[in-house]
Amino acid sequence: MSRVCQVTGKRPMYGNNVSHANNKTRRRFLPNLHTVRFWLENERRFVKLRVSRKGLRIIDKKGIDKVVAELRARGERV
């Protein structure tokens, strides 16, 4: 399973590890993903989403019903 937030679309970034001697080697910056179950009251069921912490803040702000509607409008299966 790819490390992508379903709400924000955040993906791993790439950059460098820089040592004290200024040697540079490639590394990945991974998003802070969590698998969370949300209760959809209008459908009377749980949905499981893989979201970043920023995605959780968006869900807190907008509400899970609106976020799920936007996911479905994008064509994502929820």
Side-chain angles (χ1 to χ4, degrees), residues 32-76:
N32 188 11
L33 292 181
H34 301 272
T35 303
V36 187
R37 282 185 353 151
F38 294 100
W39 175 253
L40 291 181
E41 185 59 43
N42 55 355
E43 297 181 21
R44 308 285 298 156
R45 71 182 185 104
F46 282 100
V47 292
K48 200 185 266 190
L49 295 177
R50 194 163 194 209
V51 294
S52 62
R53 297 308 295 184
K54 172 109 181 205
L56 285 174
R57 289 179 54 131
I58 290 171
I59 290 170
D60 286 343
K61 182 178 178 182
K62 292 182 176 181
I64 186 63
D65 295 323
K66 189 168 183 181
V67 171
V68 167
E70 290 172 1
L71 289 175
R72 288 185 174 140
R74 269 199 323 233
E76 205 165 319

Side-chain angles (χ1 to χ4, degrees), residues 3-44:
R3 297 175 193 230
V4 179
C5 174
Q6 290 181 290
V7 175
T8 63
K10 281 181 182 280
R11 296 178 166 273
M13 292 176 54
Y14 295 89
N16 289 314
N17 276 326
V18 181
S19 70
H20 191 68
N22 209 28
N23 298 332
K24 295 171 187 74
T25 56
R26 295 303 278 180
R27 63 162 290 185
R28 294 174 77 193
F29 295 94
L30 300 177
N32 188 11
L33 292 181
H34 301 272
T35 303
V36 187
R37 282 185 353 151
F38 294 100
W39 175 253
L40 291 181
E41 185 59 43
N42 55 355
E43 297 181 21
R44 308 285 298 156

